[in-house]
Amino acid sequence: MSGEEKAGQDKGGYLRELTKGFITTNPLLVLMVGLCSSLAVSTRVENCIFMGLAVIFVLTCSNVIISLIRRFIPEQIRIPIFIVVIASFVTIVDLTLKGYFKPVYDRLGVWIPLIVVNCIILARAEGYAYSNKVSFAALDGLGLGMGYTSVLLIMSVFRELLGTGKIVFGNTALINLGSDSMPVILIMFPGAFITFALLLALLQWYNARRKPEEEGEEG
Amino acid sequence: MHELWRFFLLFLGAALVYNILLIRFIALCPFFGISNRMETSIGMSISVIFVMVMATSVSWLAWNYALEPLGVGEFLYIPAFILVIASLVQFVEMVIKKTSPPLYKAMGIYLPLITTNCAVLAAATESVKPGFFTKLNIAYSYGFLEAVVYTLGVAVGFSAVLIIFAAMRERIDMAPVPKFFRGVPIAFMAAALFSLAFMGFAGMFKL
C-alpha cells in the first residue's frame, strides 16, 4: 500500500489511466491483491460477471467519494474513514443482489461482504484516490475494476469449459463440448491455484519476450 | 467430558477440515505476500491468532447484545464488524507499543496489515452466522465459548499452513525451476499440491 502514485503528469492522460489496469498495473497479476475472491468465484463464468460488476461498482464509487472528500480527511484516522465509505457501497451491492438476483446471491453471497477487506479497494483508496483528483480517481477505479474482471473471465472460461465441459448461464448451456470425462480437478480447489500459476507464468513469458524487443527499438 | 470433546472437534474442524487458506480461499493475499520468509511468517501468525480471537469476542458480544436485539444485524453487520476490527487493531497496537517494546518490535509492523486480512472478518461473521462461509446450513448459533474455540481453530489453521508453506518456499528458492515459473507461479503450483493434500481431510468429521 506504500508508494503513492501521481497521475496525469505525462502525455498519456486519461486514456492511460483507463487502460493501465489491464496489463501494467493489473490488480491480480501484477499487484497481487484481491486474490481470495477471484480464485474462489472463478468456477463459473456467470459468477465472475456479477463479481466483476460488483467490484467495478464499489471500486469506482469509493474512489470518487474518497477523492472528493480527501481534503477534509485528517491523516491519522483516514483508514477507518476509507473503510466506512467502502463498507457502505458494499452493503448497497449486498442488499441489491439479495433483492433482485437471488440465485446469484446464493452462490456468490459469501464473497460480497469480503469485498470490504478486498485489498484492491483499500489499496487504491490509500495509494491513489487519496492523492489524485476526481476524474483520474474515477478512471482508475473503472480501469482496475475492468482489469480484475478480465482476468476473472479468462480464468473462469478456462476452468468451467475444461473442468465441466460446458459453460452454463442460468439454466441453459451456452457451449457444450458433450464430454463427460473432463478433468474435474480444475473446478475444485487445487484447480484455482494451477490456473492462476499458469496465467502468471504466461505473463512472465510475455514480459520476457517483450523486453528485448523494446530495448532493441530504443537502441 | 462430552462438551470438551465437542470443543476439540470444533477446533480441529476449523483448523484442518475447513482450513481457511487452502479449502476456503480466504486471506490469500497476506499468505502469498508474507510466506517468502520464515521470520515474518511467524510474526504474522502470532499477531493473527491474537487479533482474531479478540475481534471475534468483541464482534460476538456486539452482535448478540446490540445488533440482533435492535433488529439491525442484517444491514449493519459489515460496517460494524469492520469498524470493530479496525479500531481493535489500532488499540492493540497502542497498548503493545506502551507496555512491551520488544513485542511491538516483533509484531508491530504486521498489525496494520491485519485490518485488511479477510480471515478476521470471515471468522467474526462465521462465529455469529455459523456455516455462512462453509455453506453448511448449521441451524443453531454458537455460544460465546464455542465462538472463541472456533476462531482459535481458524487462526491456528491459518498459522500452521503459513509457517509450513514458508518453509517450503525457502526450499523452492534453491530448487531448479523452469524459467517462467520462477518466483510466484511456482509458489501457486506448490499451493495447489498442498491444497490437494488438505482435500484428504474433507468429510472426516462435521463442524
Side-chain angles (χ1 to χ4, degrees):
Chain A
M1 240 178 281
S2 59
E4 296 189 349
E5 296 169 37
K6 275 279 179 192
Q9 268 97 357
D10 49 353
K11 52 195 165 161
Y14 291 103
L15 190 67
R16 219 193 49 148
E17 292 305 307
L18 190 63
T19 53
K20 69 180 178 191
F22 287 97
I23 297 261
T24 35
T25 50
N26 189 294
L28 288 171
L29 297 174
V30 180
L31 306 177
M32 304 278 289
V33 289
L35 292 175
C36 339
S37 53
S38 56
L39 293 188
V41 302
S42 61
T43 49
R44 281 188 74 168
V45 178
E46 196 188 7
N47 290 356
C48 286
I49 292 174
F50 278 94
M51 189 70 192
L53 287 179
V55 168
I56 291 176
F57 172 76
V58 175
L59 190 57
T60 312
C61 293
S62 66
N63 260 7
V64 167
I65 297 288
I66 285 162
S67 180
L68 271 177
I69 60 172
R70 70 184 189 278
R71 299 196 202 288
F72 311 108
I73 302 178
E75 216 190 321
Q76 293 84 359
I77 54 161
R78 65 183 192 283
I79 301 277
I81 292 178
F82 293 164
I83 285 183
V84 172
V85 171
I86 296 167
S88 339
F89 286 114
V90 171
T91 309
I92 293 173
V93 172
D94 193 42
L95 295 177
T96 312
L97 275 184
K98 205 185 210 167
Y100 294 103
F101 303 97
K102 193 74 175 110
V104 179
Y105 182 81
D106 288 338
R107 285 198 304 269
L108 213 57
V110 295
W111 294 101
I112 300 296
L114 288 183
I115 296 179
V116 179
V117 280
N118 194 321
C119 340
I120 295 179
I121 293 162
L122 196 64
R124 289 331 273 177
E126 161 94 8
Y128 195 92
Y130 192 53
S131 53
N132 281 298
K133 61 176 185 179
V134 180
S135 51
F136 282 130
L139 286 177
D140 176 79
L142 210 59
L144 259 76
M146 288 195 298
Y148 173 87
T149 312
S150 57
V151 174
L152 230 60
L153 284 178
I154 295 171
M155 279 179 70
S156 63
V157 167
F158 181 78
R159 287 180 67 190
E160 192 178 1
L161 193 62
L162 294 185
T164 64
K166 52 192 160 210
I167 292 183
V168 181
F169 268 89
N171 292 321
T172 50
L174 281 187
I175 303 173
N176 198 336
L177 296 182
S179 165
D180 288 332
S181 53
M182 301 302 278
V184 186
I185 189 90
L186 276 177
I187 56 164
M188 286 151 81
F189 312 109
F193 289 118
I194 293 173
T195 312
F196 198 72
L198 290 177
L199 260 184
L200 280 175
L202 201 68
L203 187 75
Q204 287 199 4
W205 171 78
Y206 173 74
N207 282 342
R209 221 183 56 140
R210 203 180 49 169
K211 244 182 206 144
E213 279 173 18
E214 275 178 1
E215 281 163 10
E217 277 167 20
E218 281 163 11
Chain B
M1 200 55 217
H2 182 73
E3 276 295 286
L4 219 59
W5 181 240
R6 224 196 92 61
F7 281 159
F8 178 69
L9 283 186
L10 192 65
F11 178 83
L12 270 193
L16 292 180
V17 182
Y18 293 97
N19 185 280
I20 193 148
L21 282 168
L22 298 171
I23 299 297
R24 288 199 263 161
F25 287 135
I26 297 175
L28 287 177
C29 313
F31 181 55
F32 285 102
I34 286 174
S35 64
N36 48 4
R37 281 190 55 215
M38 196 66 186
E39 249 172 78
T40 48
S41 303
I42 293 173
M44 185 68 175
S45 302
I46 297 168
S47 324
V48 162
I49 294 176
F50 187 66
V51 171
M52 215 187 243
V53 172
M54 281 185 72
T56 306
S57 318
V58 179
S59 304
W60 191 93
L61 292 174
W63 174 271
N64 281 290
Y65 291 103
L67 292 176
E68 195 60 356
L70 293 175
V72 292
E74 275 310 309
F75 316 106
L76 281 184
Y77 77 99
I78 306 175
F81 287 180
I82 195 72
L83 266 186
V84 164
I85 294 166
S87 41
L88 199 72
V89 167
Q90 202 93 55
F91 177 72
V92 169
E93 196 180 348
M94 286 190 312
V95 169
I96 294 178
K97 204 173 183 177
K98 266 272 186 298
T99 53
S100 164
L103 189 65
Y104 180 74
K105 233 180 158 184
M107 59 192 250
I109 45 169
Y110 306 109
L111 282 173
L113 287 177
I114 292 179
T115 314
T116 52
N117 187 332
C118 351
V120 183
L121 183 66
T125 313
E126 184 102 319
S127 76
V128 297
K129 298 176 165 187
F132 187 65
F133 285 102
T134 36
K135 298 189 180 173
L136 277 184
N137 281 333
I138 301 175
Y140 63 94
S141 47
Y142 291 144
F144 184 71
L145 258 184
E146 278 172 312
V148 170
V149 170
Y150 172 81
T151 313
L152 201 63
V154 172
V156 168
F158 174 85
S159 310
V161 171
L162 182 63
I163 290 170
I164 297 172
F165 199 66
M168 255 163 72
R169 277 185 83 168
E170 287 193 348
R171 289 289 295 269
I172 289 175
D173 281 346
M174 287 180 280
V177 173
K179 193 177 160 202
F180 299 117
F181 277 92
R182 252 171 238 161
V184 191
I186 196 71
F188 272 92
M189 278 296 181
L193 296 179
F194 209 0
S195 166
L196 200 60
F198 262 73
M199 278 172 72
F201 289 119
M204 240 166 134
F205 40 75
K206 287 184 193 134
L207 268 186

